[in-house]
Each structure stands twice: as structure tokens, then as C-alpha cells.
Amino acid sequence: MIEAYVAQLRRDLDFDPALARRMACEVEAHLLDAAEADPAWPSADAERRAVERFGLAREIAAQFATDAVNRQARRSWIVLLATVAVTFVAMRLRILWLADAGDSLSMLAPLIDRYAFVAALAVGSIGWWAFRRSVLPLAVCLAALVASIAAGIVRAGLFVDGAPLQVLLAAAGEIALIGLLLFHVVGLGRRLKRTAMLRRVG
């Protein structure tokens, strides 16, 4: 029974393989200790009583999944903060370079560059205070930052006009962090979905 219980726990937490392995090992060790302390050990009855005292696998998995959501949300917001900071620095570098080189493209790109970044800041600030465990504000910030970064790169003509190394490095940092932020936002969405499912089933 202990083996079947641990296998069920692994399946319920398979959205996070590292968490599933760690929790399965800890739970299995706890259940074996509890079963071995039973006067009827070794027997299926001792294992059954240990499992019954511990609780339903789905309920335990839902608790672990909630912890995973909280950790993933914290990581996502930290990556968002880093992305905003690097994007701001990259914007300033592009503006300084364009002041010397001359703004090369349309008037629309600077507006998107500026106001999409402001929108990301506004949504991120509100989301941090009111919707910290929700994927929606993070997704909106991600979309706004993608628009801002793309407009900034197009505006500056980074791949056409031969931008200085520091401007190119800042743009590369923006793009790398956007990829990392996307990874974390998708991960948070998966964890939220699985947690909600486990709670419904449990």
C-alpha cells in the first residue's frame, strides 16, 4: 500500500519532477517508519493504517503543489524585476546612442518603446500588491515588455546601423531575460492549473 500511495503522489506532482522525487522520498520514509512502529508490522494492515493516518494522496499533493506555486510565483516576480531593470538600462543606452546618431525610424516605435514599458511597470506594480499568485499580470507584463523591447530594437536599427557594443549587450540581456521570464510564467501557469485540479479532485 505504501508503494501504491507513493506512486500516486508522484503522478499527482509530475508537473514538477524535482518536487515529485523529493516529496516521494520523504513521504515513503515517513510511512515506512509509521508502519514499522505498528505492532502488526510486517503486514498489509500496518501499511494500511500508516497510510490512513497520513491522509489522502491527492490532499497531500495539493498542499505540496500550493508550496510549489508560491515558490514559482516568487521566482517569476524576481525575474520580472530583473527584466524591467535591464530593459530600463537598455532603453537609456539606446536613447543616449540615438541622441548622437540620430533617431533612424518612424515616430511610432519610440511611443511603443516608452509606453509599453510604462504599462509593464504599472501592471507589475498593481499585480505585485494585489495579484501576486496570479499568472495574468505577469503575462501582461511579459507582452508589454516584448512590445517595448521589439520597438526599441527596431527604433534603433540595432542590426542595421552598427550599434556600440554596450547597446548590443544590453539588448541581448533583454532578450535573454524575456526568454527566462516566459519560461517562469508558463511554469507558474502549469502549477496553478494542476493545483486547482488537485483541489477539485481532492
Side-chain angles (χ1 to χ4, degrees), residues 16 19 22 64 66-76:
D16 189 330
L19 175 67
R22 188 172 72 252
F64 291 147
T66 299
D67 293 339
V69 165
N70 292 333
R71 288 194 300 274
Q72 185 66 35
R74 281 195 298 271
R75 287 194 291 263
S76 298

Side-chain angles (χ1 to χ4, degrees), residues 62-190:
Q63 294 174 14
F64 291 147
T66 299
D67 293 339
V69 165
N70 292 333
R71 288 194 300 274
Q72 185 66 35
R74 281 195 298 271
R75 287 194 291 263
S76 298
W77 283 102
I78 289 169
V79 174
L80 175 62
L81 179 62
T83 306
V84 167
V86 171
T87 299
F88 179 76
V89 170
M91 286 174 64
R92 299 309 302 170
L93 288 172
R94 283 195 292 269
I95 289 169
L96 290 174
W97 175 55
L98 290 172
D100 296 331
D103 208 335
S104 57
L105 292 173
S106 71
M107 293 298 295
L108 184 60
L111 292 176
I112 296 174
D113 189 9
R114 182 179 305 114
Y115 290 110
F117 180 78
V118 171
L121 277 180
V123 172
S125 299
I126 295 169
W128 169 255
W129 291 110
F131 308 102
R132 197 173 301 178
R133 292 178 73 248
S134 172
V135 76
L136 181 60
L138 288 163
V140 172
C141 289
L142 174 63
L145 287 170
V146 167
S148 175
I149 292 167
I153 290 172
V154 169
R155 172 189 181 188
L158 294 186
F159 304 113
V160 177
D161 295 339
L165 179 61
Q166 64 269 25
V167 176
L168 292 173
L169 288 176
E174 288 178 298
I175 294 169
L177 282 168
I178 281 293
L180 184 60
L181 180 58
L182 175 62
F183 173 79
H184 282 288
V185 170
V186 170
L188 178 59
R190 290 179 61 220

Side-chain angles (χ1 to χ4, degrees), residues 7 9 30 33 41 46 49 99 118 131 144 146 154 167 195-196 202:
L9 187 63
H30 176 82
D33 288 343
W41 176 260
R49 282 191 286 269
V118 171
F131 308 102
V146 167
V154 169
V167 176
T195 302

